[in-house]
Amino acid sequence: IDTAMTLNAMHPDIIVIRHQDSGACNLLSQKVNCAVLNAGDGRREHPTQALLDALTIITRKNKIEGLKIAICGDILHSRVARSNILMLSLLGANINLVAPKTLLPRNIDNFKVNIYNDMRDGIKDVDVIMMLRLQNERMLSSYIPSAREYFRYYGLDEEKLSIAKNDAIVMHPGPMNRGVEIDTSVADNVQSVIKDQVEMGVAARMAILEILSMR
Ligand code: ASP
């Protein structure tokens, strides 16, 4: 209550909040008098990342509807995955989630997505491969045998990438664990749009702040 009182006393137009607890943003928005922008709350949501990812895909592919998009890796701890599942399915993409069973949420059946435990099946003929960071800071116990083993089965290297469409684009929200979920040669190759994502992030967030400040 004191935090909200202090924040309100500053009369901000917008509060941008990134918080380790899922739901922190919703709670704050009920207590303050201004717009609240969620910059990532725990493992729940990361809406601006989903918007900049959608913008990146549209820039490269001219559309989202009908695209096959594989989201691969640590889905369980990823707010990026959750926001992208919501956004990209809303925009008409077909979504494959690719992860070992230990890194999939229990309620995964509630999402309208295809689930794959084998990466080769999950990325076959897709237009977009979105890799996720192994979120070690959110892991309370061991979810994978070793980083080396994980890379072997779930790391995106040139050989696995060749299973996707020839013109598939590779995405990653950063920061990347090179050699764990993504091979350096793939992270930096011509199919990678990871730098574009960073650039689109500036544009998307500028637009969001402008829209919110006009309210
Ligand atoms: N930067 C993204 C986030 O804040 C992704 C990550 O940290 O892996 O969730």
Side-chain angles (χ1 to χ4, degrees):
I1 291 167
D2 275 352
T3 308
M5 201 177 73
T6 310
L7 290 169
N8 281 332
M10 295 179 195
H11 305 292
D13 294 316
I14 305 166
I15 295 174
V16 180
I17 171 173
R18 166 170 282 213
H19 203 281
Q20 65 185 17
D21 294 335
S22 305
C25 181
N26 275 356
L27 185 66
L28 185 69
S29 70
Q30 289 159 24
K31 314 234 177 258
V32 295
N33 306 324
C34 65
V36 176
L37 179 57
N38 185 358
D41 63 330
R43 53 161 93 172
R44 201 181 72 90
E45 280 235 36
H46 196 348
T48 64
Q49 178 75 47
L51 285 165
L52 76 88
D53 286 342
L55 185 59
T56 307
I57 297 171
I58 289 171
T59 308
R60 288 293 180 128
K61 298 278 174 199
N62 295 317
K63 61 170 189 176
I64 289 185
E65 193 166 5
L67 290 184
K68 275 195 191 180
I69 301 181
I71 305 179
C72 312
D74 186 0
I75 314 271
L76 178 65
H77 301 101
S78 176
R79 53 195 179 205
V80 174
R82 246 162 289 266
S83 284
N84 263 309
I85 292 168
L86 292 171
M87 162 131 301
L88 297 173
S89 30
L90 197 70
L91 296 174
N94 294 311
I95 300 176
N96 293 351
L97 297 186
V98 181
K101 285 199 177 95
T102 49
L103 291 177
L104 282 167
R106 278 206 207 106
N107 64 347
I108 199 70
D109 296 335
N110 299 344
F111 297 107
K112 287 197 191 106
V113 291
N114 312 304
I115 313 285
Y116 294 90
N117 299 126
D118 186 316
M119 188 160 180
R120 286 163 204 281
D121 295 337
I123 63 174
K124 190 166 184 312
D125 294 331
V126 299
D127 302 281
V128 178
I129 304 180
M130 188 181 286
M131 299 306 301
L132 299 172
R133 182 173 66 90
L134 265 187
Q135 317 252 304
N136 291 314
E137 74 280 17
R138 301 208 176 100
M139 296 188 188
L140 301 171
S141 57
S142 179
Y143 289 79
I144 55 163
S146 70
R148 217 166 130 212
E149 180 113 341
Y150 183 80
F151 180 69
R152 182 157 165 226
Y153 291 102
Y154 293 98
L156 186 64
D157 55 16
E158 301 275 2
E159 193 265 318
K160 291 197 199 77
L161 178 58
S162 68
I163 303 169
K165 284 204 181 128
N166 285 341
D167 62 349
I169 55 170
V170 175
M171 306 177 74
H172 191 302
M176 286 183 271
N177 294 310
R178 289 172 183 255
V180 180
E181 68 263 355
I182 190 163
D183 197 28
T184 275
S185 64
V186 173
D188 302 326
N189 85 3
V190 287
Q191 284 170 268
S192 165
V193 297
I194 297 169
K195 270 193 277 180
D196 301 34
Q197 288 174 272
V198 180
E199 198 178 335
M200 294 302 152
V202 178
R205 286 161 181 148
M206 280 171 71
I208 294 162
L209 291 175
E210 190 166 330
I211 290 165
L212 289 179
S213 64
M214 289 187 307
R215 287 176 0 135

